[in-house]
Amino acid sequence: MKPAKPPAERAREELDRLGRLWSRERMAHRARFAEERLRRSFAERVARGTALDGLEIEDTEAAPGDRLRLVVSYPKGIDPDDLALRPGAPVLLWWDALEPATSVRAVIARRPGAQLTLVVDADAPDRLFEGSFRLDLEAPEATFDVGGRALARWKEVDGKSPLRALRDTLLAGEEPELERARARRVETFFDGHLNAPQRDAVELALSGRVVSLVHGPPGTGKTRTLTEIVRQAVAAGERVLVCAASHTAVDNLAERLVAASIPLVRLGHPARVAEALEAMTLDAQVDASEEQALARQWSREAAQLRRKAARRSALERDARREMHREAWRLLKDARGHLRGAEKRIFERARVVCATLAGAAESRLDFEHFDRVVLDEATQALDPLALAALRRAPVAVLAGDPRQLPPTVIDPGVASEGLGTTFFERLIDAPFGPEIGRMLLVQHRMHEAIMRFPSEHLYDGRLVAASEVATHRLEDLGVRADATRDAPWIFLDTAGRGWDEERSDDDPSTKNPGEAERVVAEVKRLLRRGVAPRDVAVITPYEAQARVIRGLLVEERREGLEVGTVDGFQGREKEAVVVDLVRSNERGEVGFLADVRRMNVAITRARRFLLVLGDGATLARHSFYAAFLEHAELEEAHLSAWVDDPDDELF
């Protein structure tokens, strides 16, 4: 029998394998963006929300990290909600031709109202400040650079490194070591309302294992549990790095920690984070420092010099050049002052919160952490997870393999392993039960809404907490509806002739007939007295979301939200309308076949859930056939032929 390879060798082979997959996924992203630009004109890309034209800078100032903030206004007629320009998205700013060599790389940072903030490196060309420019989405090169560097750095981990045990578990499949010296006994829980599974998960995380897992199904208090873990670690003298795949998840946890008076720094531009946390961002804390006051003055002087230079004639070339040189000197001095302020802010913080890409920032290279807490670990691609996990020798991974997976666009790469995560492999390992705990008591959904996902995705183990098990919209003062007198309804659109559509220039699917019925059902809810801010419409397809947004403009102004499944993970509303869109004679359900999307969609609702779909199409898939059968058994099935949602209710 051939002897097993040592863990270090197996880990290196795994890093090599991940590196090959990562390179292939990078090429797939580049190809997709290149195809988009070849297949569609710039005007078509603007119409699809992946590009903008006629942008001009209205304001600029120095920002930490040798960057500049550029504030621009959206062109007239643009609805920011219809754009594919999400905070954190990489973009190219260009003029005559969309060529990377002559374009400026930037990151989307703000999208409120009529303004947009872009972040660029401080050495951006002067032309950017002298007229209008265009904007296009760019392949996420910076993200792939982060993952590539992380893989290279993990290859440097040797037998003497503090990361050796973590490396052997993550990359070689070794059972996590139990280091007694790191064990922390929980004498008193800060949160006295934690239930038994949550307390068990906290105690496991602090038991001395180099890796522990928190499996948190929808509504089971995963964020609350992680908050307790971080508070206990900080109380024991640890310094903690808190990370997640998305800004939303980082913010959710950071807000809980701020409420618990934990000193922290939120890495990331203030425009990308929750409004309640803006004051805790590194940028905002630097802005409040004495150093920033002087830096801001110098930035304004630099901007004035640039504007003066732009008004000089071509014959005054030497004067223009000197003005630009002086402007850059002022900005260089401003950035130097800001770096000093950053250092002092980091020294005070016991917790740093960041996305995976933020955790890779060079500003953290000289910071020491005892523990990494990684939320949304089941959405974190391995190379990006490794970028955060290299910051400390102990890791707590939290997530749910039954919710949204990581995004991988190359099917071959996904099937060869990049589509699964460290969390999934560890929880399925022979030692998985020893290092993982599943949270079982959910505090969000009415018991009837919870029942189907519990039975079909969580082995029937979920339990509704008493305070939510029977709660209804009527408890909020909402008027009853005799034809929808249940916590959840499946509205079957079979036979209505509302067929799905897909155009040659848009791969996303829409269903205009079903969209109109969705709008009617939403308005029916609002007439009952549900506040618009308490309602969300969720659909798997961006094209359908655009159609529905266009039909609910006024309601959206009042707080109603319309979005895709991906944008709602980790969130909840009192009432949710889910539109499944698919309706065809072939029984094709597209990417709805990944039932994790359906799980996320139907578990966002607290008190009322309405799902619209074509039962004849959905019944061809075993999961949805079971869903339809469940609706019949629960007397929650309603045909779209039965009534007119526009009828008077009272």
Side-chain angles (χ1 to χ4, degrees):
M1 184 175 177
K2 193 174 182 179
K5 296 178 181 178
E9 185 176 347
R10 300 202 308 274
R12 187 170 188 85
E13 289 176 351
E14 177 64 5
L15 288 167
D16 288 339
R17 187 185 73 86
L18 286 173
R20 291 190 294 271
L21 295 176
W22 197 236
S23 295
R24 287 167 54 191
E25 180 68 1
R26 183 197 285 260
M27 294 301 106
H29 275 266
R30 285 178 177 171
R32 171 179 282 189
F33 277 81
E35 180 185 4
E36 168 85 2
R37 290 173 188 153
L38 286 173
R39 193 157 59 94
R40 295 188 176 89
S41 68
F42 177 67
E44 289 173 327
R45 298 198 300 275
V46 170
R48 284 175 52 80
T50 62
L52 288 170
D53 195 10
L55 300 178
E56 292 187 11
I57 296 173
E58 296 188 351
D59 196 10
T60 181
E61 66 176 17
D66 291 340
R67 299 171 297 164
L68 289 176
R69 300 182 184 121
L70 311 178
V71 180
V72 303
S73 290
Y74 289 110
K76 290 183 178 179
I78 294 293
D79 184 343
D81 285 342
D82 286 339
L83 295 175
L85 306 173
R86 302 290 181 247
V91 294
L92 287 178
L93 313 180
W94 59 284
W95 294 271
D96 306 313
L98 183 52
E99 299 290 343
T102 58
S103 301
V104 177
R105 282 194 162 85
V107 174
I108 297 291
R110 188 190 297 265
R111 294 197 334 170
Q115 286 192 317
L116 168 77
T117 296
L118 306 171
V119 177
V120 299
D121 289 338
D123 59 355
D126 297 324
R127 184 179 182 183
L128 196 61
F129 305 88
E130 297 174 354
S132 66
F133 55 91
R134 294 172 165 180
L135 177 153
D136 256 277
L137 272 177
E138 171 64 319
E141 296 292 338
T143 298
F144 285 100
D145 290 343
V146 166
R149 287 193 296 269
L151 294 172
R153 290 185 176 184
W154 276 92
K155 286 183 178 180
E156 299 169 0
V157 173
D158 58 25
K160 297 180 180 179
S161 170
L163 295 174
R164 191 268 313 162
L166 187 59
R167 177 205 65 186
D168 292 350
T169 295
L170 296 174
L171 298 164
E174 293 286 294
E175 182 172 355
E177 292 184 5
L178 181 61
E179 300 180 7
R180 300 292 181 188
R182 296 185 184 277
R184 302 282 186 267
R185 182 183 176 89
V186 181
E187 300 290 348
T188 304
F189 288 94
F190 291 103
D191 186 343
H193 297 288
L194 294 178
N195 57 49
Q198 291 170 332
R199 292 195 299 270
D200 192 19
V202 172
E203 290 174 334
L204 176 67
L206 301 170
S207 66
R209 294 276 187 185
V210 295
V211 178
S212 59
L213 310 175
V214 179
H215 181 187
T220 55
K222 175 168 57 69
T223 302
R224 187 173 193 169
T225 303
L226 294 181
T227 300
E228 182 71 20
I229 291 171
V230 174
R231 294 180 73 182
Q232 292 285 346
V234 170
E238 293 187 16
R239 196 161 185 241
V240 183
L241 177 63
V242 171
C243 299
S246 72
H247 285 285
T248 300
V250 176
D251 290 342
N252 287 341
L253 190 44
E255 285 187 35
R256 300 285 187 96
L257 294 170
V258 169
S261 301
I262 300 295
L264 65 81
V265 170
R266 171 68 164 93
L267 272 188
H269 193 287
R272 301 187 202 179
V273 307
E275 185 177 353
L277 284 170
E278 285 190 14
M280 306 309 298
T281 61
L282 177 62
D283 286 31
Q285 292 188 55
V286 169
D287 284 347
S289 68
E290 295 179 0
E291 291 88 348
Q292 176 64 355
L294 187 56
R296 187 177 289 114
Q297 177 185 333
W298 290 341
S299 296
R300 287 171 180 161
E301 291 176 9
Q304 290 173 356
L305 284 169
R306 277 177 161 160
R307 284 193 289 269
K308 287 181 181 178
R311 292 195 294 267
R312 296 276 181 166
S313 69
L315 296 176
E316 299 175 284
R317 185 177 304 169
D318 290 344
R320 291 177 63 186
R321 187 179 295 115
E322 181 55 35
M323 286 180 182
H324 283 303
R325 274 199 291 263
E326 179 60 23
W328 286 120
R329 281 195 291 269
L330 287 167
L331 287 173
K332 182 179 179 181
D333 289 343
R335 293 195 298 272
H337 271 61
L338 297 184
R339 282 193 290 270
E342 286 178 10
K343 186 175 184 297
R344 283 184 285 280
I345 290 165
F346 274 128
E347 288 172 351
R348 295 194 300 265
R350 300 305 305 159
V351 174
V352 174
C353 302
T355 60
L356 300 178
E361 281 199 26
S362 59
R363 287 182 285 186
L364 293 183
D365 286 347
F366 300 101
E367 302 297 322
H368 168 78
F369 297 96
D370 301 286
R371 182 184 303 265
V372 174
V373 172
L374 173 55
D375 197 4
E376 284 187 340
T378 46
Q379 286 188 276
L381 291 160
D382 286 356
L384 298 179
L386 288 171
L389 293 170
R390 76 179 185 86
R391 295 295 188 186
V394 176
V396 179
L397 277 57
D400 180 11
R402 298 298 189 179
Q403 296 190 62
L404 292 179
T407 299
V408 181
I409 69 169
D410 185 323
V413 167
S415 64
E416 290 177 42
L418 200 63
T420 60
T421 61
F422 288 125
F423 187 104
E424 293 168 88
R425 291 191 291 277
L426 291 172
I427 206 166
D428 288 338
F431 50 78
E434 297 180 25
I435 66 168
R437 293 294 184 271
M438 180 174 170
L439 308 180
L440 301 174
V441 183
Q442 70 85 15
H443 298 264
R444 174 185 300 160
M445 295 164 275
H446 189 289
E447 195 276 337
I449 299 174
M450 177 200 74
R451 194 174 298 129
F452 180 80
S454 177
E455 291 176 355
H456 290 267
L457 296 169
Y458 301 103
D459 301 320
R461 299 176 65 191
L462 298 188
V463 176
S466 59
E467 69 271 15
V468 303
T470 60
H471 66 181
R472 300 284 300 271
L473 286 176
E474 289 79 358
D475 300 333
L476 302 176
V478 174
R479 287 168 286 188
D481 184 342
T483 62
R484 289 149 181 76
D485 187 26
W488 79 280
I489 296 289
F490 174 69
L491 184 63
D492 195 340
T493 64
R496 290 305 305 256
W498 297 335
D499 295 333
E500 64 188 58
E501 299 177 5
R502 187 182 301 171
S503 59
D504 292 338
D505 64 345
D506 190 348
S508 186
T509 305
K510 62 184 178 181
N511 188 324
E514 204 160 278
E516 290 183 5
R517 183 57 181 257
V518 166
V519 170
E521 294 292 340
V522 167
K523 291 183 176 179
R524 185 183 183 106
L525 272 170
L526 299 180
R527 292 204 308 276
R528 291 175 60 188
V530 184
R533 66 179 180 277
D534 290 332
V535 181
V537 178
I538 303 176
T539 176
Y541 295 95
E542 179 56 42
Q544 186 76 343
R546 288 196 295 268
V547 173
I548 296 171
R549 288 190 196 109
L551 298 172
L552 288 170
V553 175
E554 188 59 39
E555 292 79 4
R556 287 168 50 220
R557 289 196 187 104
E558 296 175 359
L560 182 140
E561 293 188 61
V562 179
T564 59
V565 178
D566 299 60
F568 274 93
Q569 179 154 312
R571 302 184 59 211
E572 60 185 49
K573 291 283 186 176
E574 300 295 348
V576 171
V577 178
V578 176
D579 180 7
L580 298 180
V581 180
R582 302 309 298 257
S583 179
N584 56 74
E585 295 180 353
R586 304 173 302 281
E588 294 178 355
V589 297
F591 71 6
L592 286 181
D594 185 341
V595 300
R596 290 174 289 188
R597 276 194 155 72
M598 181 65 165
N599 183 36
V600 172
I602 64 177
T603 56
R604 301 307 96 195
R606 288 174 48 78
R607 300 170 189 266
F608 180 75
L609 170 69
L610 179 68
V611 181
L612 289 91
D614 183 339
T617 299
L618 297 171
R620 306 278 190 91
H621 187 282
S622 59
F623 180 84
Y624 294 98
F627 181 72
L628 295 173
E629 182 180 357
H630 181 75
E632 292 282 1
L633 291 173
E634 296 252 318
E635 298 183 350
H637 186 280
L638 180 68
S639 171
W641 290 95
V642 168
D643 65 0
D644 183 346
D646 294 325
D647 288 344
E648 288 300 322
L649 297 172
F650 315 107

